[in-house]
Amino acid sequence: MRSKIVAGNWKMNNNLEQTEALLSELSAKLPDTDAEVMVAPTYVNLAGAVASLQGSKIEVIAQNMHFAENGAYTGEISGDMLLNIGVDTCIIGHSERRAYFGETDEILAKKVASALDQGIRVMFCFGEELEDRKSDNHFKVVERQLKNALFSLDASVWSKIILAYEPVWAIGTGETASPEQAQEMHAFIRNTIAEAYNSSIADKVSILYGGSVKPGNAKEIFSKPDVDGGLIGGASLVADDFVDIIKAI
Ligand code: PGA
């Protein structure tokens, strides 16, 4: 059985008070669910979030990390720093990191390998741009992103990988992939992993959909057989919306 996961990526939103307020509202309203529920606050509030969620089902995850273990990398955060404050899952490869911070497939391959080496679970994000879909290159692009960052990894680490397919044209735009488009791509991803490794690994990996998931569309998207949950941006900043999305799974 694959884990069902609903994760909120808060991006560069919420100062300390806002973080505490949202976490306490979420904790109070959290529905009973078998799904894993995760939130990714900004770095400066990670340790506080871990402390205030002690004993809660909500897991605190990070939005990014550096591949080096330590050293002269001003402004960066290492895997050890995350583990040390009780954060053992990290988003890697978000399209905003790729677009605004120059993270290439090569850099992401290093980050993924380093995280896994240190025992950090990786939520790997990838997805095509609008032009790729318009020119019918979306499958090729996704396959390349997976291959370059993940397919050199040993089969044994795949239990520590979560995938998040996020078509760039659907992120923060209000435009969502249709449930059929999501299912088609998720099935393709699973198939690509089965070919690169084997079907047991492919069947076990959770593949989340991300891109304008809202309370109104979550249920239909999550009902697709290869969609194992969602990575939620904007809607995860509003407790009632995030809770409704959790209920939808
Ligand atoms: P969105 O963001 O839900 O606001 O589209 C998703 C994401 O970037 O993970």
Side-chain angles (χ1 to χ4, degrees):
M1 265 289 278
R2 299 194 281 272
S3 302
K4 299 267 183 201
I5 298 169
V6 179
N9 176 10
W10 291 1
K11 309 188 181 183
M12 197 175 74
N13 294 294
N14 291 335
N15 63 23
L16 180 59
E17 287 91 62
Q18 291 161 334
T19 296
E20 282 174 356
L22 184 50
L23 288 178
S24 73
E25 193 180 351
L26 270 181
S27 298
K29 294 180 172 171
L30 192 71
D32 209 14
T33 175
D34 290 339
E36 291 184 54
V37 177
M38 305 171 175
V39 292
T42 178
Y43 280 129
V44 290
N45 293 326
L46 280 180
V50 171
S52 61
L53 289 175
Q54 279 300 332
S56 156
K57 186 187 157 53
I58 305 171
E59 187 190 342
V60 179
I61 70 173
Q63 298 177 17
N64 176 38
M65 59 173 272
H66 198 269
F67 52 78
E69 281 180 27
N70 52 51
Y73 298 100
T74 301
E76 290 291 331
I77 305 286
S78 73
D80 175 59
M81 292 169 188
L82 296 177
L83 289 169
N84 187 247
I85 57 164
V87 172
D88 62 6
T89 302
C90 186
I91 297 171
I92 292 179
H94 192 279
S95 67
E96 286 147 19
R97 299 292 318 169
R98 296 175 191 255
Y100 308 142
F101 301 98
E103 296 197 1
T104 59
D105 285 0
E106 198 187 1
I107 292 172
L108 296 173
K110 286 199 207 173
K111 289 191 172 201
V112 169
S114 167
L116 293 168
D117 263 0
Q118 296 177 75
I120 294 176
R121 187 152 72 141
V122 169
M123 183 181 289
F124 183 72
C125 302
F126 56 98
E128 82 282 1
E129 313 237 357
L130 186 58
E131 308 84 77
D132 303 322
R133 189 160 276 265
K134 280 191 177 151
S135 58
D136 213 22
N137 279 319
H138 45 301
F139 293 115
K140 247 187 251 156
V141 168
V142 161
E143 189 174 3
R144 191 208 70 220
Q145 291 173 326
L146 291 172
K147 182 167 174 275
N148 289 351
L150 304 181
F151 287 175
S152 304
L153 295 167
D154 192 80
S156 63
V157 299
W158 272 79
S159 59
K160 292 279 197 179
I161 296 175
I162 302 160
L163 298 178
Y165 167 61
E166 301 201 299
V168 177
W169 48 272
I171 296 178
T173 58
E175 191 171 341
T176 329
S178 69
E180 291 69 32
Q181 284 173 320
Q183 169 56 26
E184 181 187 38
M185 183 58 90
H186 283 223
F188 171 79
I189 293 162
R190 215 176 285 291
N191 203 36
T192 305
I193 296 164
E195 278 170 14
Y197 289 88
N198 56 56
S199 56
S200 157
I201 288 182
D203 285 344
K204 283 188 196 128
V205 67
S206 297
I207 309 177
L208 316 185
Y209 169 79
S212 298
V213 177
K214 304 274 181 270
N217 59 25
K219 202 166 182 163
E220 222 190 327
I221 295 172
F222 294 163
S223 71
K224 295 297 175 191
D226 285 296
V227 178
D228 305 309
L231 179 55
I232 322 298
S236 72
L237 297 170
V238 180
D240 287 330
D241 287 353
F242 193 53
V243 163
D244 283 345
I245 292 169
I246 296 166
K247 286 182 186 156
I249 204 155

